[in-house]
Amino acid sequence: MLEVHDLRVAYNRVIRVLEGISFAVPKGKAVTLLGANGSGKSTTVKAISGMLRSDNGAIVTGKVVLEGEDVTRQGASRMVRRGVIHVMEGRFVFPDLTVKENLLMGAYSIKDRSSITEDLGRWLDFFPVLGARTNTQAGYLSGGEQQMLAIARALMAHPRLVLMDEPSMGLSPILVQEVFGVISDIQKTHQLTFLLVEQNVRMALKVADYGYVIERGFIRLEGTAEELRQNKHLQDFYLGISENENHI
Protein backbone atom coordinates (compact mmCIF):
# COMPACT_ATOMS: atom_id res chain seq x y z
CA MET A 1 0.00 0.00 0.00
CA LEU A 2 2.67 2.52 1.07
CA GLU A 3 6.33 2.56 0.10
CA VAL A 4 8.85 5.12 1.33
CA HIS A 5 12.17 5.31 -0.51
CA ASP A 6 15.25 7.21 0.73
CA LEU A 7 13.17 9.86 2.50
CA ARG A 8 15.24 12.82 3.67
CA VAL A 9 14.03 15.92 5.48
CA ALA A 10 15.96 19.04 6.42
CA TYR A 11 14.80 22.38 7.77
CA ASN A 12 16.27 25.56 6.34
CA ARG A 13 18.89 23.41 4.57
CA VAL A 14 20.77 23.08 7.86
CA ILE A 15 18.91 20.92 10.39
CA ARG A 16 18.78 17.39 8.99
CA VAL A 17 16.05 15.29 10.59
CA LEU A 18 15.78 12.25 8.30
CA GLU A 19 18.89 10.82 6.65
CA GLY A 20 17.40 8.59 3.96
CA ILE A 21 14.93 6.11 5.42
CA SER A 22 13.05 3.43 3.47
CA PHE A 23 10.21 1.22 4.63
CA ALA A 24 6.88 -0.29 3.54
CA VAL A 25 3.37 -0.58 4.96
CA PRO A 26 1.46 -3.53 3.44
CA LYS A 27 -2.26 -3.18 2.80
CA GLY A 28 -4.43 -4.23 5.72
CA LYS A 29 -1.50 -4.36 8.16
CA ALA A 30 -0.38 -2.26 11.11
CA VAL A 31 3.22 -1.04 11.02
CA THR A 32 4.85 0.98 13.78
CA LEU A 33 7.71 3.47 13.76
CA LEU A 34 9.47 3.38 17.12
CA GLY A 35 12.08 5.65 18.61
CA ALA A 36 12.89 8.21 21.24
CA ASN A 37 11.65 11.78 21.20
CA GLY A 38 13.41 13.71 18.44
CA SER A 39 14.37 10.64 16.42
CA GLY A 40 12.36 11.72 13.36
CA LYS A 41 9.16 9.71 13.77
CA SER A 42 6.69 12.60 13.62
CA THR A 43 8.62 14.25 10.80
CA THR A 44 8.25 11.03 8.82
CA VAL A 45 4.45 10.93 9.01
CA LYS A 46 4.22 14.66 8.32
CA ALA A 47 6.29 14.17 5.18
CA ILE A 48 4.04 11.29 4.09
CA SER A 49 0.80 13.18 4.74
CA GLY A 50 1.95 16.25 2.82
CA MET A 51 2.18 18.59 5.80
CA LEU A 52 5.82 19.56 5.19
CA ARG A 53 6.24 22.27 2.56
CA SER A 54 9.10 24.34 1.24
CA ASP A 55 7.36 27.57 2.28
CA ASN A 56 7.71 26.58 5.94
CA GLY A 57 11.39 25.78 5.60
CA ALA A 58 11.17 22.03 5.03
CA ILE A 59 13.20 20.40 2.26
CA VAL A 60 11.88 16.92 1.45
CA THR A 61 13.59 14.53 -0.95
CA GLY A 62 13.11 10.87 -1.74
CA LYS A 63 9.91 9.20 -2.82
CA VAL A 64 6.55 8.34 -1.25
CA VAL A 65 4.51 5.82 -3.24
CA LEU A 66 0.85 5.08 -2.50
CA GLU A 67 -0.52 1.99 -4.24
CA GLY A 68 2.00 2.32 -7.05
CA GLU A 69 1.65 6.09 -7.57
CA ASP A 70 4.27 8.67 -6.65
CA VAL A 71 2.60 11.11 -4.24
CA THR A 72 5.75 12.77 -2.88
CA ARG A 73 4.93 16.27 -4.08
CA GLN A 74 1.26 16.27 -3.16
CA GLY A 75 -0.03 18.45 -0.35
CA ALA A 76 -2.09 17.53 2.68
CA SER A 77 -5.51 18.23 1.13
CA ARG A 78 -4.78 15.99 -1.86
CA MET A 79 -3.53 13.23 0.41
CA VAL A 80 -6.78 13.40 2.38
CA ARG A 81 -8.74 13.02 -0.85
CA ARG A 82 -6.61 9.97 -1.62
CA GLY A 83 -7.63 8.45 1.71
CA VAL A 84 -4.49 9.17 3.74
CA ILE A 85 -5.67 10.49 7.11
CA HIS A 86 -3.26 11.86 9.69
CA VAL A 87 -4.31 11.69 13.36
CA MET A 88 -1.84 14.19 14.78
CA GLU A 89 -0.09 14.22 18.11
CA GLY A 90 -2.14 16.21 20.61
CA ARG A 91 -5.45 15.09 19.05
CA PHE A 92 -6.45 18.58 17.73
CA VAL A 93 -10.19 18.20 18.16
CA PHE A 94 -12.35 21.30 17.70
CA PRO A 95 -13.03 22.18 21.36
CA ASP A 96 -16.01 24.47 20.76
CA LEU A 97 -17.81 21.98 18.52
CA THR A 98 -19.82 19.05 19.82
CA VAL A 99 -18.77 15.45 19.43
CA LYS A 100 -21.22 15.04 16.55
CA GLU A 101 -20.01 18.22 14.84
CA ASN A 102 -16.39 17.08 15.14
CA LEU A 103 -17.27 13.76 13.51
CA LEU A 104 -19.11 15.49 10.68
CA MET A 105 -16.01 17.64 10.07
CA GLY A 106 -14.15 14.39 9.40
CA ALA A 107 -16.56 13.59 6.57
CA TYR A 108 -16.11 16.85 4.66
CA SER A 109 -14.29 15.11 1.78
CA ILE A 110 -16.94 12.39 1.31
CA LYS A 111 -18.80 12.86 -1.96
CA ASP A 112 -21.63 10.44 -1.15
CA ARG A 113 -23.42 12.57 1.42
CA SER A 114 -26.13 9.95 1.92
CA SER A 115 -23.62 7.63 3.60
CA ILE A 116 -22.59 10.10 6.29
CA THR A 117 -25.53 9.44 8.62
CA GLU A 118 -24.88 5.70 8.41
CA ASP A 119 -21.17 6.24 9.10
CA LEU A 120 -21.97 8.49 12.03
CA GLY A 121 -24.17 5.84 13.62
CA ARG A 122 -21.58 3.11 12.98
CA TRP A 123 -18.73 4.90 14.71
CA LEU A 124 -20.84 6.21 17.59
CA ASP A 125 -21.85 2.61 18.21
CA PHE A 126 -18.21 1.51 18.02
CA PHE A 127 -17.23 4.24 20.51
CA PRO A 128 -20.05 4.10 23.09
CA VAL A 129 -18.34 6.72 25.27
CA LEU A 130 -18.79 9.15 22.38
CA GLY A 131 -22.32 7.96 21.64
CA ALA A 132 -23.28 8.92 25.18
CA ARG A 133 -21.86 12.44 24.73
CA THR A 134 -22.91 13.32 21.20
CA ASN A 135 -23.97 16.88 22.07
CA THR A 136 -21.08 17.60 24.45
CA GLN A 137 -18.49 20.12 23.38
CA ALA A 138 -15.22 18.34 22.66
CA GLY A 139 -13.30 20.66 24.98
CA TYR A 140 -15.11 19.10 27.94
CA LEU A 141 -14.03 15.54 27.10
CA SER A 142 -11.23 13.79 28.93
CA GLY A 143 -7.91 13.21 27.18
CA GLY A 144 -8.82 9.62 26.41
CA GLU A 145 -12.22 10.61 25.07
CA GLN A 146 -10.64 13.28 22.87
CA GLN A 147 -8.20 10.71 21.47
CA MET A 148 -11.08 8.38 20.63
CA LEU A 149 -12.91 11.30 19.02
CA ALA A 150 -9.85 12.08 16.90
CA ILE A 151 -9.71 8.44 15.78
CA ALA A 152 -13.45 8.29 15.05
CA ARG A 153 -13.25 11.57 13.11
CA ALA A 154 -10.48 10.07 10.96
CA LEU A 155 -12.61 7.00 10.27
CA MET A 156 -15.47 9.20 9.04
CA ALA A 157 -13.25 10.07 6.04
CA HIS A 158 -13.25 6.45 4.76
CA PRO A 159 -9.45 6.19 5.06
CA ARG A 160 -7.29 3.81 3.06
CA LEU A 161 -4.29 4.56 5.28
CA VAL A 162 -4.36 5.95 8.82
CA LEU A 163 -1.24 7.71 10.13
CA MET A 164 -1.34 7.90 13.92
CA ASP A 165 1.16 10.11 15.74
CA GLU A 166 1.73 9.32 19.45
CA PRO A 167 -1.82 8.29 20.46
CA SER A 168 -0.59 7.54 24.00
CA MET A 169 0.75 11.06 24.56
CA GLY A 170 -0.55 12.61 27.79
CA LEU A 171 -2.79 9.67 28.73
CA SER A 172 -2.77 7.64 31.93
CA PRO A 173 -1.66 3.98 31.68
CA ILE A 174 -5.27 2.78 31.94
CA LEU A 175 -6.41 5.08 29.13
CA VAL A 176 -3.43 4.06 27.01
CA GLN A 177 -4.54 0.43 27.31
CA GLU A 178 -8.09 1.41 26.33
CA VAL A 179 -7.06 3.52 23.33
CA PHE A 180 -4.69 0.89 21.98
CA GLY A 181 -7.37 -1.75 22.44
CA VAL A 182 -9.66 0.35 20.25
CA ILE A 183 -6.95 0.78 17.60
CA SER A 184 -6.34 -2.98 17.54
CA ASP A 185 -10.07 -3.76 17.27
CA ILE A 186 -10.54 -1.31 14.40
CA GLN A 187 -7.53 -2.57 12.49
CA LYS A 188 -8.47 -6.22 12.80
CA THR A 189 -12.23 -5.82 12.31
CA HIS A 190 -12.07 -3.49 9.31
CA GLN A 191 -8.69 -4.56 7.88
CA LEU A 192 -7.53 -0.95 7.77
CA THR A 193 -3.92 -0.06 7.08
CA PHE A 194 -2.17 1.74 9.94
CA LEU A 195 1.18 3.46 10.30
CA LEU A 196 1.60 4.06 14.01
CA VAL A 197 4.24 6.41 15.43
CA GLU A 198 4.77 5.75 19.11
CA GLN A 199 7.23 6.04 22.00
CA ASN A 200 5.32 3.48 24.08
CA VAL A 201 7.12 0.48 22.57
CA ARG A 202 5.28 -2.17 24.56
CA MET A 203 1.83 -1.02 23.47
CA ALA A 204 2.85 -0.38 19.86
CA LEU A 205 4.25 -3.89 19.48
CA LYS A 206 1.03 -5.38 20.82
CA VAL A 207 -0.90 -3.73 17.97
CA ALA A 208 1.59 -3.83 15.10
CA ASP A 209 2.45 -6.64 12.71
CA TYR A 210 5.84 -5.17 11.85
CA GLY A 211 8.03 -2.36 13.13
CA TYR A 212 10.97 -0.09 12.39
CA VAL A 213 13.18 1.64 14.96
CA ILE A 214 14.43 5.13 14.07
CA GLU A 215 17.46 6.67 15.76
CA ARG A 216 18.79 10.10 14.76
CA GLY A 217 17.15 10.03 11.37
CA PHE A 218 18.22 6.50 10.42
CA ILE A 219 16.35 3.20 10.61
CA ARG A 220 18.49 1.04 12.89
CA LEU A 221 16.27 -2.01 13.39
CA GLU A 222 13.31 -3.67 11.74
CA GLY A 223 11.38 -6.88 12.10
CA THR A 224 8.10 -8.48 13.06
CA ALA A 225 6.59 -7.39 16.35
CA GLU A 226 7.76 -10.62 17.96
CA GLU A 227 11.29 -10.25 16.59
CA LEU A 228 11.53 -6.72 17.97
CA ARG A 229 10.18 -7.77 21.34
CA GLN A 230 13.00 -10.31 21.55
CA ASN A 231 15.72 -8.00 20.22
CA LYS A 232 18.41 -7.30 22.85
CA HIS A 233 19.10 -3.75 21.63
CA LEU A 234 15.42 -2.82 21.84
CA GLN A 235 15.13 -4.40 25.28
CA ASP A 236 18.14 -2.50 26.64
CA PHE A 237 17.40 0.92 25.22
CA TYR A 238 13.59 1.08 24.92
CA LEU A 239 11.94 -1.60 27.00
CA GLY A 240 14.23 -1.63 30.03
CA ILE A 241 14.13 -5.42 30.26
CA SER A 242 16.99 -7.19 31.94
CA GLU A 243 18.35 -10.57 30.90
CA ASN A 244 16.40 -12.17 33.73
CA GLU A 245 13.02 -10.87 32.60
CA ASN A 246 13.02 -11.36 28.86
CA HIS A 247 9.34 -10.76 28.24
CA ILE A 248 6.75 -8.07 27.79
Side-chain angles (χ1 to χ4, degrees), residues 62-84:
K63 184 179 292 187
V64 177
V65 178
L66 181 67
E67 294 190 327
E69 183 175 354
D70 186 349
V71 295
T72 313
R73 301 294 182 268
Q74 300 197 11
S77 61
R78 287 189 177 182
M79 293 300 282
V80 168
R81 288 195 291 270
R82 290 180 177 276
V84 178

Side-chain angles (χ1 to χ4, degrees), residues 221-222 226-236 239 246:
L221 292 171
E222 67 174 279
E226 181 59 27
E227 288 170 344
L228 292 179
R229 277 195 291 264
Q230 299 301 323
N231 185 281
K232 186 64 169 61
H233 176 84
L234 198 68
Q235 292 173 2
D236 289 343
L239 298 177
N246 186 22

Side-chain angles (χ1 to χ4, degrees), residues 1-4 23-34 44-45 48 66-67 83-88 123 126-127 147-168 178-198 203-212:
M1 154 101 30
L2 177 72
E3 298 174 17
V4 174
F23 62 91
V25 183
K27 186 174 183 178
K29 300 295 183 180
V31 171
T32 185
L33 295 179
L34 307 171
T44 300
V45 292
I48 293 170
L66 181 67
E67 294 190 327
V84 178
I85 306 299
H86 186 174
V87 182
M88 294 185 289
W123 296 119
F126 194 94
F127 295 89
Q147 185 64 74
M148 292 183 190
L149 177 57
I151 296 170
R153 185 179 61 193
L155 296 172
M156 288 289 293
H158 295 183
R160 296 153 66 191
L161 170 65
V162 180
L163 310 175
M164 298 205 67
D165 193 354
E166 302 283 5
S168 72
E178 186 174 353
V179 167
F180 272 84
V182 166
I183 294 171
S184 180
D185 288 345
I186 292 170
Q187 196 276 322
K188 292 175 181 176
T189 302
H190 297 275
Q191 292 296 296
L192 284 177
T193 307
F194 275 85
L195 177 59
L196 172 66
V197 164
E198 186 54 66
M203 294 307 303
L205 292 179
K206 286 183 179 180
V207 173
D209 300 290
Y210 200 87
Y212 298 85

Side-chain angles (χ1 to χ4, degrees), residues 54 59 79 83 105 129-130 132 156 169 218-219:
S54 59
I59 307 299
M79 293 300 282
M105 289 292 290
V129 66
L130 300 181
M156 288 289 293
M169 183 66 70
F218 295 93
I219 290 180

Side-chain angles (χ1 to χ4, degrees), residues 14-33:
V14 176
I15 304 172
R16 301 193 317 196
V17 181
L18 297 179
E19 300 282 4
I21 65 171
S22 300
F23 62 91
V25 183
K27 186 174 183 178
K29 300 295 183 180
V31 171
T32 185
L33 295 179

Side-chain angles (χ1 to χ4, degrees), residues 97-105 120 124 130 133-136 149:
L97 300 183
T98 66
V99 166
K100 181 179 180 180
E101 289 167 340
N102 267 270
L103 293 175
L104 292 175
M105 289 292 290
L120 185 66
L124 287 175
L130 300 181
R133 307 194 69 180
T134 307
N135 296 315
T136 301
L149 177 57

